Amino acid sequence: QVQLVESGGGLVQAGGSLRLSCAASGRTFSRFAMAWFRQVPGKEREFVCASRSTGNTYYADSVKGRFTISRDNAKNTVYLQMNSLKPEDTAVYRCAAAWLPNTDYTHQFAGVYDYWGQGTQVTVSS
């Protein structure tokens, strides 16, 4: 069983930055694919980015160049650095974990993730 706890959300003005953290416990963190998703009420959960156990990272086009996912396997923590924030980035951000084979590239689909955090609210004001 893996438990995920996010922190770092809040209110920021457009153009500002935030860093989210997701602390994991319970299993071998380094072997897991870790991802961030976000959701706005009334809309589907949206893939933001993923960090694979290989070290590769993947981003949605909407955040590419502005967001950076990183992980510290010694601390069992994954981070999301968000820069140049826009009002449309406003959402509840949730981290997720899944064991995916290196040849499995389905990390952008929420359905492949077994473990989820409770979410942290990010609000970007214009």
Side-chain angles (χ1 to χ4, degrees):
Q1 186 74 13
V2 175
Q3 295 178 333
L4 304 174
V5 179
E6 302 100 333
S7 60
L11 173 65
V12 64
Q13 289 188 332
S17 298
L18 279 175
R19 189 174 85 152
L20 307 183
S21 299
C22 174
S25 63
R27 295 286 295 272
T28 306
F29 177 79
S30 63
R31 297 180 182 177
F32 277 75
M34 300 297 298
W36 289 94
F37 287 78
R38 63 187 182 187
Q39 191 165 20
V40 174
K43 293 189 177 181
E44 289 191 2
R45 194 171 302 177
E46 178 188 14
F47 170 76
V48 176
C49 56
S51 169
R52 301 297 302 266
S53 60
T54 57
N56 292 335
T57 57
Y58 302 87
Y59 296 91
D61 288 343
S62 59
V63 306
K64 202 170 293 183
R66 299 188 298 122
F67 290 13
T68 303
I69 186 171
S70 61
R71 62 196 295 166
D72 185 336
N73 290 332
K75 295 183 177 180
N76 282 11
T77 301
V78 63
Y79 304 98
L80 179 61
Q81 178 67 44
M82 304 184 293
N83 298 329
S84 302
L85 282 160
K86 304 175 181 179
E88 51 263 44
D89 295 319
T90 295
V92 173
Y93 284 71
R94 299 180 70 184
C95 69
W99 188 88
L100 296 176
N102 291 341
T103 54
D104 184 333
Y105 294 96
T106 60
H107 45 258
Q108 71 271 35
F109 299 110
V112 307
Y113 291 89
D114 302 307
Y115 307 102
W116 291 85
Q118 81 288 350
T120 185
Q121 176 70 45
V122 171
T123 302
V124 184
S125 62
S126 57

